[in-house]
Amino acid sequence: MNAPARTIVFTGNPLDFSTLKRIGSGRYVPAIAEQSYGRVKAAHSVIADRIAMGLPVYGANTGVGSMKDRLWTVGDLTEFTAALVRAHHFGTGELFSPEIVRKAIAIRINTALGGHTGCSVELVKAFLALLERNVIPAVHRHGSIGCADIGLMGQVASVLTGVGEAFFAGELLPAEEALARAGLEPLVMQPRDALAALSVNATAFAAATDVLHEAAGAIRVLMTTGLMSSLSLGASADPWRVAATLATRGEALVGSWLYGQSNVVDWPLPTAIHDPLSLRMTAQVFGATVDTLLVAAERLVDATYLSDDNPVVLGGQVHASGASLPLTTTLYIETAQIAFSHVARNVLNRCILLSNGVRRNLPVNLVAPGEVASGLGPLMKLVVELYMRVQALALPLSAQSIVVAGGLEEEATFLPLIVERMETQVRDMRQMAAIEALLSAQAIDLLGDEPQGVTKIAYDRVRDISPIYLKDRPLSREIEALHRAFASDALLEALVAAAPMPEFDDFFALGK
């Protein structure tokens, strides 16, 4: 029997990565203070009063999109509200993970607590009940242009009303049956509840927090494999010391970490007066990525409490809003994608240096002395392909123009698609980390180096799976196993514990 979930108090303040990670796990649920419900009630009263006076409120007693000028009578509002939810259940494709759906529901709850949404308290409590009873709506990934996730959150909103599908006790069920098994009744939404439930970016924000957390973990592993290859290549640690002192935030963090870890190992004497750029500028490449990830994540944390509804209640009045366009957050996430392509190129260059036999008298293709073999050189084809995959997904999408209801709708962000592409980038960079570690471990063995600290943790993980390369052998399964190992939580936790970078690790809740 599962242990009862613990609670985290939601007040409408920002939700950090640690909180969202705990909510996503299903082991914690929000608890809402009564004063927070007071703000929700006050905003809802403003909406209700306006509707009672026969005044239009977008999406509450009017249609939406190209139907925005159609005003519904009071007698039609119950039917219209239910129909509005059903009309926006159109997602397709693969399902989001339960963790992401839980986070999306939590973000929607939290943004409503600020008192600007105008929905009913009953809607907030219905969302909360899904988390408390662990009813997880089945949310398909395709259905949002990144300007309010109507086709994604519409699938969550539908489940509240007993329509669609949801998981309960690990089983995918019709929504009405899932609610019944959980002891819940379908919600009859009040005017404004429908649009408040579906016309927000909570799903995209939840998926973005998930992939940025994964990206941050991948970067921490890549920093370790970069340190391994730099050790094997006899790179100078001096540029890292300089970066730690004379650089911007991200570069200084990475430079300090790299230089500190180089002191843990019996570092070889530099093999050149001036290292190649891919070695000398490692702190700059990783530092820029660390910085863009932190900025993008900071904007996401802002998005977890700021209302992105349309309309909003402000100062006792109802206002039209453009907050459904999360462009600032999207642009920083796109910048992180560009940064990833620089990291991938940096990894590629170090892998080539390891295999071409020009540093520390390493043999070409890392072939062991006296052996007749092609060695690890053919792996460069795979590394180049992975680099190009990461690079190809760095092209910005957010400025593309589109046509939707009512003519040219020239503003959208495509944030869900951008997140999906970032997931692929992270996957491919993790495989690049595994290959860099494999090459570095081979070089370490050939040179007789003795890794220590995080380099030893990574070296041991390689050798647990892949023995020293002497005779040519098939590598596909080994690389896939190494990929899984270097993407594992266990390895990340070990690396973070051995060599923390608190400002970064703590923000992203890494190794916890």
Side-chain angles (χ1 to χ4, degrees):
M1 187 172 180
N2 294 330
R6 289 176 281 183
T7 59
I8 302 174
V9 176
F10 277 25
T11 62
N13 291 322
L15 304 177
D16 60 21
F17 273 69
S18 177
T19 297
L20 287 171
K21 185 177 180 180
R22 286 182 286 171
I23 293 291
S25 72
R27 295 190 296 271
Y28 291 78
V29 296
I32 300 174
E34 199 57 42
Q35 59 265 33
S36 297
Y37 280 132
R39 292 192 294 270
V40 176
K41 290 178 182 177
H44 180 63
S45 295
V46 174
I47 297 286
D49 290 347
R50 185 177 177 93
I51 291 174
M53 290 187 287
L55 299 174
V57 177
Y58 178 77
N61 60 356
T62 77
V64 298
S66 57
M67 299 282 287
K68 60 184 171 56
D69 295 321
R70 171 74 181 272
L71 184 65
W72 301 92
T73 65
V74 173
D76 293 326
L77 290 186
T78 299
E79 181 181 353
F80 164 70
T81 300
L84 188 61
V85 173
R86 291 193 296 270
H88 290 87
H89 187 296
F90 55 77
T92 64
E94 295 181 4
L95 294 175
F96 280 110
S97 69
E99 290 79 8
I100 289 174
V101 177
R102 289 190 190 101
K103 290 179 186 179
I105 294 170
I107 290 170
R108 169 67 287 193
I109 290 170
N110 198 57
T111 53
L113 298 182
H116 301 292
T117 297
C119 66
S120 69
V121 167
E122 288 74 18
L123 177 66
V124 176
K125 290 183 176 180
F127 273 125
L128 182 59
L130 294 182
L131 297 179
E132 291 174 337
R133 304 294 178 91
N134 204 23
V135 177
I136 309 300
V139 181
H140 298 266
R141 300 194 64 143
H142 302 162
S144 171
I145 62 174
C147 186
D149 295 330
I150 56 174
L152 307 182
M153 287 300 292
Q155 298 168 80
V156 180
S158 292
V159 168
L160 293 176
T161 67
V163 175
E165 294 181 310
F167 290 93
F168 182 72
E171 187 177 354
L172 183 60
L173 302 166
E176 192 169 19
E177 183 177 350
L179 293 175
R181 289 197 191 182
L184 300 174
E185 294 286 339
L187 175 69
V188 177
M189 291 188 177
Q190 301 178 43
R192 178 68 189 120
D193 281 353
L195 205 60
L198 61 90
S199 185
V200 289
N201 294 289
T203 310
F205 291 153
T209 61
D210 194 72
V211 74
L212 286 185
H213 174 268
E214 294 299 308
I219 291 301
R220 290 291 272 111
V221 173
L222 281 156
M223 286 168 57
T224 296
T225 61
L227 187 70
M228 280 182 76
S229 58
S230 297
L231 166 67
S232 304
L233 294 165
S236 172
D238 287 349
W240 302 339
R241 184 182 183 187
V242 174
T245 308
L246 301 176
T248 58
R249 174 179 67 165
E251 294 173 19
L253 279 173
V254 173
S256 178
W257 187 89
L258 289 170
Y259 189 68
Q261 297 314 304
S262 71
N263 288 327
V264 173
V265 187
D266 184 13
W267 201 264
L269 292 174
T271 57
I273 294 174
H274 225 36
D275 282 333
L277 299 182
S278 53
L279 295 178
R280 184 155 41 97
M281 296 176 179
T282 303
Q284 281 69 33
V285 173
F286 279 104
T289 305
V290 162
D291 208 56
T292 54
L293 280 174
L294 283 169
V295 174
E298 287 163 356
R299 299 292 77 76
L300 266 176
V301 169
D302 290 342
T304 65
Y305 81 101
L306 295 172
S307 172
D308 60 346
D309 291 274
N310 176 42
V312 297
V313 175
L314 195 62
Q317 297 181 326
V318 181
H319 296 280
S321 165
S324 56
L325 186 77
L327 186 56
T328 299
T329 300
T330 302
L331 290 176
Y332 283 119
I333 292 174
E334 285 186 309
T335 302
Q337 291 187 294
I338 297 170
F340 292 165
S341 67
H342 286 268
V343 169
R345 184 177 64 188
N346 196 238
V347 176
L348 168 65
N349 290 344
R350 287 195 302 272
C351 289
I352 291 171
L353 287 172
L354 281 166
S355 68
N356 68 11
V358 299
R359 304 277 295 189
R360 296 184 71 193
N361 296 316
L362 283 168
V364 173
N365 289 355
L366 297 174
V367 174
E371 299 290 345
V372 178
S374 295
L376 294 171
L379 274 181
M380 293 309 103
K381 302 289 187 182
L382 175 56
V383 180
V384 170
E385 184 198 351
L386 291 168
Y387 158 67
M388 284 305 300
R389 286 179 178 274
V390 175
Q391 176 80 1
L393 293 171
L395 178 68
L397 294 178
S398 58
Q400 303 299 318
S401 62
I402 51 172
V403 175
V404 293
L408 182 65
E409 183 79 4
E410 69 279 359
E411 297 299 341
T413 67
F414 303 101
L415 179 55
L417 176 56
I418 289 167
V419 168
E420 193 171 333
R421 297 199 317 169
M422 181 178 277
E423 290 169 354
T424 303
Q425 284 184 306
V426 170
R427 180 201 67 199
D428 291 341
M429 289 195 302
R430 281 173 161 160
Q431 189 166 131
M432 293 185 79
I435 295 171
E436 184 176 25
L438 173 63
L439 297 172
S440 298
Q442 179 77 0
I444 285 169
D445 285 341
L446 294 176
L447 293 165
D449 289 334
E450 295 185 6
Q452 299 293 326
V454 291
T455 56
K456 184 172 185 348
I457 293 171
Y459 171 86
D460 288 345
R461 194 58 54 93
V462 172
R463 288 297 175 240
D464 287 342
I465 296 168
S466 178
I468 185 171
Y469 195 96
L470 299 175
K471 301 294 185 182
D472 289 329
R473 64 179 188 256
L475 288 175
S476 294
R477 288 192 176 182
E478 284 181 36
I479 292 169
E480 289 173 349
L482 286 167
H483 183 183
R484 290 190 294 271
F486 277 76
S488 68
D489 290 339
L491 178 63
L492 178 61
E493 289 171 8
L495 296 176
V496 168
M501 196 165 71
E503 185 173 338
F504 188 75
D505 300 339
D506 292 349
F507 186 92
F508 286 102
L510 298 180
K512 297 180 180 179

